[in-house]
Amino acid sequence: MRIVSIIGSHRKNGNTETILKGFDKEFKSAEIPDYKNKFFNISEMNIYPCRSCLKCKKKDNCVIGDDFGKVALKMIQSDLIILGSPVYFSDVSAQIKGLFDRTYSLWHKKMLKGKNIILVATCAEEGTGHTIDSMRHWAIDHEMNIIATVEGSSEKKGKVLDNPMTLKAIQDAVRECDGIPQK
């Protein structure tokens, strides 16, 4: 199974990254044949905002020369996408929103249609509901298959897995992935 895990947080070893690494640990323990997981922390990449130039409609890909192409290619090639965002004022981070906008270049030819995705939102206190909702709308617009949503909260950096309910949500989501067709 080929997975791409996308972290949309500036906080190194923060709660978003901790949950995505928790998924990696669970998938590894499931001993899935040909398991590969590519991590992208998009806050460490050069992904520029969409210019609304519409050149992607003619060229079948985004013409902006940055790191988006690497992420897009892995998303297209993956069996499963795990997308994680911290909650910023009850919504996704700017990095995730920027990624969403850039996937307009993939939307024309429905390149993400049927892709399996797990949506993850983390917060200190509250706001994961609207954040997950924003992610869900984006995935639905791309006609993706939402496997699960996982919400985690902790006021302490990297301690989100101290909550047994978060661990159970990860384990349940991994079980839901059993039977995903692999390329």
Side-chain angles (χ1 to χ4, degrees), residues 33-49:
D34 301 320
Y35 174 76
K36 291 179 184 156
N37 191 350
K38 175 68 176 168
F39 281 86
F40 287 109
N41 188 330
I42 58 175
S43 69
E44 297 173 354
M45 303 175 79
N46 290 319
I47 298 179
Y48 303 115

Side-chain angles (χ1 to χ4, degrees), residues 1-169:
M1 175 181 286
R2 292 183 291 183
I3 298 175
V4 61
S5 295
I6 301 170
I7 303 163
S9 174
H10 276 290
R11 188 174 282 185
K12 191 75 175 155
N13 299 314
N15 289 325
T16 305
E17 185 174 344
T18 298
I19 285 184
L20 270 62
K21 287 185 176 177
F23 268 104
D24 189 51
K25 183 179 176 184
E26 283 298 317
F27 276 111
K28 283 179 180 173
S29 70
E31 297 180 5
I32 297 168
D34 301 320
Y35 174 76
K36 291 179 184 156
N37 191 350
K38 175 68 176 168
F39 281 86
F40 287 109
N41 188 330
I42 58 175
S43 69
E44 297 173 354
M45 303 175 79
N46 290 319
I47 298 179
Y48 303 115
C50 177
R51 296 180 190 153
S52 299
C53 65
L54 301 178
K55 290 179 182 174
C56 57
K57 286 179 83 169
K58 295 175 187 164
K59 300 262 185 185
D60 291 335
N61 66 327
C62 184
V63 298
I64 298 173
D66 63 5
D67 293 332
F68 170 73
K70 295 176 196 175
V71 179
L73 181 62
K74 287 295 180 186
M75 289 170 60
I76 291 166
Q77 293 174 340
S78 71
D79 300 309
L80 174 67
I81 300 165
I82 304 174
L83 180 68
S85 178
V87 173
Y88 288 179
F89 291 99
S90 298
D91 215 334
V92 296
S93 67
Q95 292 79 13
I96 292 296
K97 178 61 172 108
L99 178 74
F100 286 177
D101 292 347
R102 290 293 296 282
T103 63
Y104 181 66
S105 61
L106 306 175
W107 181 81
H108 303 292
K109 297 253 180 184
K110 304 292 183 198
M111 294 177 171
L112 297 178
K113 182 178 181 175
K115 286 289 170 191
N116 297 297
I117 189 164
I118 295 173
L119 308 173
V120 176
T122 61
C123 67
E125 296 173 6
E126 58 187 41
T128 56
H130 183 75
T131 303
I132 290 289
D133 196 42
S134 291
M135 298 167 105
R136 183 179 288 118
H137 281 284
W138 169 79
I140 290 169
D141 286 347
H142 279 284
E143 301 178 44
M144 299 169 86
N145 179 30
I146 301 170
I147 300 292
T149 61
V150 175
E151 302 172 37
S153 64
S154 176
E155 292 185 7
K156 295 181 181 176
K157 177 181 174 184
K159 298 297 182 184
V160 70
L161 296 183
D162 289 353
N163 182 336
M165 302 228 357
T166 305
L167 281 172
K168 183 177 181 328

